[in-house]
Amino acid sequence: EDKVVQSPLSLVVHEGDTVTLNCSYEVTNFRSLLWYKQEKKAPTFLFMLTSSGIEKKSGRLSSILDKKELFSILNITATQTGDSAVYLCAVVGGATNKLIFGTGTLLAVQP
Amino acid sequence: DGGITQSPKYLFRKEGQNVTLSCEQNLNHDAMYWYRQDPGQGLRLIYYSQIVNDFQKGDIAEGYSVSREKKESFPLTVTSAQKNPTAFYLCASTLGLAGEDEQFFGPGTRLTVL
């Protein structure tokens, strides 16, 4: 069965800390891995990763994919209270090329 | 402005009633999706449609129905057969195939069964 596992389930840090969120997967017919940020409403897109070893960066956020070890990490440096959200990882693949979501990591950044 | 709209934002229904959630997009996207999100869980796929007049069941389609008569619209009906319908429902779309294009999400509808 295809699955996506995120860790940790939740995380509390202080402003200025650096965090690393993990996403591992076992999905047949892998096409891509996506990261989303969800703040009590619709998820907003962060990154799409398709190739191993190529870091994608947007401001203080960065992400990288390892297709050999079947995982991705999302890094957030110099965290701010506005980074508090659920971060969702999804993998596109399986028999029907649909998104398979992990349960998410709840990040709380305290002032 | 292009985007995805869902209505209503909040919906209450009594047990045994069918209810239809609206999803409209003006992005000219081919594919549309319905997800359900429960507290502490990720998104689970209910139905998806890659072209007009065609749709496929996702992982949890039982108790739900959809239609895709127009490219812009993909309404979801939660029927009385759905045993636990209280949840947050998200509609999404992609230009082409998922995995090749970013999936955009609507603002969601929170359904509560009384």
Side-chain angles (χ1 to χ4, degrees), chain A residues 5-10 86-89 101-106, chain B residues 40-42:
Chain A
V5 178
Q6 292 186 246
S7 64
L9 291 179
S10 63
V86 173
Y87 289 84
L88 296 168
C89 173
F101 281 85
T103 55
T105 292
L106 174 62
Chain B
Q41 295 195 33

Side-chain angles (χ1 to χ4, degrees), chain B residues 13 15 36 62-64 78-86 113:
Chain B
R13 83 153 211 222
E15 278 192 33
R36 169 185 173 138
E62 185 176 350
Y64 299 98
V78 184
T79 74
S80 57
Q82 169 49 234
K83 299 195 186 315
N84 186 20
T86 294
V113 174

Side-chain angles (χ1 to χ4, degrees), chain A residues 96, chain B residues 29-34 47-58 65-71 73-75 97:
Chain A
T96 52
Chain B
H29 284 178
D30 290 316
M32 297 185 74
Y33 309 79
W34 274 107
Y47 267 98
Y48 64 104
S49 167
Q50 294 182 316
I51 56 172
V52 175
N53 291 323
D54 188 48
F55 48 83
Q56 287 79 39
K57 292 182 179 180
S65 65
V66 293
S67 62
R68 187 88 187 275
E69 297 177 3
K70 299 186 299 182
K71 188 175 185 178
S73 178
F74 191 41
L97 294 174

